[in-house]
């Protein structure tokens, strides 16, 4: 089922990316993607299969994904890198809200204190992309 979703997301990205002024995307590696109009711009998120669950968020002026306003690759929570500071990070879902992306993410600690599933968000402003925000506690650290 996840393979079919990745293929459909890849096809959607190919159609919407025709002529885009963004770096090329390896559509065979798309694991999760979505696009929606927010605050007068088009916001797209892309996640590729691979070693880390980085989230690329892009803001475009038009629906055909031209006129890139801003792009941000998010691979960390605060100062904690998904790749180096967690045993595993799994983005389970991403949804669009009026002024943010809402995410459900599962974090596995390197320190053996287990896993936590958290509701997180990335603020989307008028042409701006915020950082990933979650209330995550492993030991005495909050992010």
């Amino acid at each position: 089922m996840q393979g079919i979703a990745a293929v459909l997301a890849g096809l959607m990205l190919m159609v919407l990316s025709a002529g885009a002024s963004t770096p090329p995307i390896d559509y065979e590696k798309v694991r999760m993607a979505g696009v929606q109009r927010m605050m007068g711009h088009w916001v797209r998120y892309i996640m590729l299969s691979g070693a880390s669950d980085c989230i690329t968020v892009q803001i475009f002026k038009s629906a055909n994904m031209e006129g890139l306003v801003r792009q941000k690759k998010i691979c960390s929570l605060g100062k904690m890198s998904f790749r180096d500071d967690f045993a595993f990070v799994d983005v389970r879902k991403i949804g669009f809200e009026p002024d943010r992306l809402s995410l459900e993410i599962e974090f596995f600690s390197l320190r053996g204190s287990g896993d936590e599933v958290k509701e997180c968000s990335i603020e989307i402003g008028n042409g701006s992309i915020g950082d990933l925000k979650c209330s995550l506690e492993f030991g005495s650290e909050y992010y």
Side-chain angles (χ1 to χ4, degrees):
M1 185 71 163
Q2 194 173 25
I4 293 171
V7 169
L8 291 174
L11 289 173
M12 178 185 78
L13 287 171
M14 282 192 289
V15 169
L16 295 175
S17 295
S21 60
T22 59
I25 298 167
D26 185 350
Y27 296 105
E28 291 182 3
K29 292 185 179 181
V30 172
R31 179 173 88 87
M32 191 183 299
V35 64
Q36 185 167 312
R37 189 166 174 81
M38 294 175 67
M39 305 171 105
H41 290 96
W42 290 89
V43 176
R44 172 169 77 175
Y45 68 83
I46 303 167
M47 291 191 56
L48 303 176
S49 306
S52 67
D53 266 341
C54 293
I55 306 146
T56 299
V57 181
Q58 301 168 314
I59 299 175
F60 294 92
K61 290 181 182 179
S62 62
N64 64 357
M65 302 296 117
E66 289 196 13
L68 181 65
V69 174
R70 179 93 53 231
Q71 175 173 303
K72 187 171 191 176
K73 189 171 184 179
I74 299 172
C75 303
S76 63
L77 174 60
K79 294 181 181 179
M80 296 183 71
S81 163
F82 290 172
R83 185 179 197 184
D84 299 326
D85 297 313
F86 293 98
F88 182 71
V89 175
D90 182 31
V91 178
R92 293 180 168 187
K93 17 179 217 187
I94 302 177
F96 291 94
E97 303 290 332
D99 63 348
R100 69 190 64 243
L101 294 175
S102 61
L103 304 91
E104 181 180 278
I105 305 177
E106 184 171 20
F107 296 92
F108 284 83
S109 172
L110 277 175
R111 299 184 195 115
S113 59
D115 69 309
E116 290 190 42
V117 176
K118 291 295 179 182
E119 295 297 320
C120 304
S121 66
I122 301 169
E123 286 188 39
I124 306 294
N126 188 12
S128 67
I129 302 167
D131 294 326
L132 179 67
K133 303 281 185 189
C134 307
S135 62
L136 179 65
E137 178 187 355
F138 282 124
S140 62
E141 299 179 42
Y142 292 87
Y143 300 93

